[in-house]
Amino acid sequence: MLVSGSTRLAGVIGDPVRHSLSPVLHNAAYRELGIDVTYVAMPVAAGATGAAIAGLRAIDALGISVTLPHKEAVIEHLDGISDAAHRLNAVNCIHFGKDGAQGYNTDGQGFVASLLDAGFDPQRKSCVVVGAGGAARAVIEALGSAGASRVGVLARDRTKAEQAAKLAGEAGAEVSDIAGADLYVNATPVGMAGEREGALPPGAEQITGSMLVADLVYNPLRTRLLGEAAARGALTVEGTGMLLHQAAEQIRIWTGAEAPVEVMRSAMVEALR
Ligand code: NDP
């Protein structure tokens, strides 16, 4: 669709942000749906969060995705935030609408959607999340909300693991191994392209063929973790699943339209190659 006088602006603010796959995902969706929106990457330095939000309000932007370092800092500049964003103290998506600037966090919901895609419903399942950073916290909160019976958090800093586990409510607990898990999630950067590529995250040696193994790392697409888990007979879910579905949820929030997930997936895989 050509940019015209009626085109609405959407995008992602962050620093760094030029490497983001979000423009590829979103623009593929708007093109397919015939929605007159253009999505761009907008570098915004730490400290300029408030100025960026004020500017985006003033120019009647449709919505923006939010990434580091603004996920927490943006909250004080909004008119309201969703329950998940409140619990996580992090916003990854803003909609500028009738109710002003409303903040959401679609990361955890995106992750659960990627599990459902693979035929795995986390309700009443025993889960272990490795890591206690931003992505792990979103996953832990979402697994708790989705009704997991246990959300164990395995992290090298036990205090951070205990804090993060609280996000899953009564199901959450700090753990030191993955025994008995139905779901194993790597939410650390271990295995990412670069110096960590080929490394295995904590607990990986205990993976069995009866588990579903999800990696949040999406570059490379198939990490060593997923390769070894599949070789043991485990079902696997790639990190691109969460990336894809968190964007699909943002599109739903901004436009009300059901996102064309397969078209978005192809565009993303092409860009990653
Ligand atoms: P953070 O830096 O917030 O958290 C990283 C976590 O991993 C921390 O708990 C950290 O522990 C732990 N960690 C780091 N290195 C190691 C190691 N060598 N051994 C054990 N634990 C380690 O990062 P994010 O949560 O933002 O991102 C984590 C990963 O998830 C990244 O690879 C990112 O690309 C990916 N991601 C994927 C998304 C998707 O849509 N697929 C979305 C968001 C993130 P400590 O606190 O002790 O340093």
Side-chain angles (χ1 to χ4, degrees), residues 68 71 107 130-137 155-157 160 186-190 192 196 201-202 215-218 238-244 246:
L68 301 179
K71 286 187 167 190
D107 280 336
V130 184
R137 287 167 53 83
R156 57 188 177 184
D157 181 328
K160 278 191 198 164
N186 174 37
T188 76
V190 178
M192 257 172 87
R196 301 177 176 108
D215 203 340
L216 300 198
V217 172
Y218 54 83
E238 294 172 357
T240 47
M242 173 170 171
L243 199 61
L244 178 66
Q246 59 79 27

Side-chain angles (χ1 to χ4, degrees), residues 178-246:
I178 70 163
D182 302 307
L183 171 69
Y184 172 98
V185 187
N186 174 37
T188 76
V190 178
M192 257 172 87
E195 62 193 54
R196 301 177 176 108
E197 188 162 357
L200 286 173
E205 65 289 345
Q206 287 179 284
I207 286 170
T208 67
S210 64
M211 295 179 185
L212 181 92
V213 175
D215 203 340
L216 300 198
V217 172
Y218 54 83
N219 185 15
L221 274 173
R222 291 295 289 178
T223 55
R224 178 176 165 206
L225 170 69
L226 295 185
E228 295 209 354
R232 284 180 217 171
L235 276 175
T236 60
V237 172
E238 294 172 357
T240 47
M242 173 170 171
L243 199 61
L244 178 66
H245 286 284
Q246 59 79 27

Side-chain angles (χ1 to χ4, degrees), residues 33 35 265:
L33 293 167
I35 293 179
R265 193 192 305 274

Side-chain angles (χ1 to χ4, degrees), residues 163-189:
Q163 288 302 322
K166 289 185 184 151
L167 289 164
E170 292 198 346
E174 189 265 332
V175 298
S176 53
D177 65 51
I178 70 163
D182 302 307
L183 171 69
Y184 172 98
V185 187
N186 174 37
T188 76

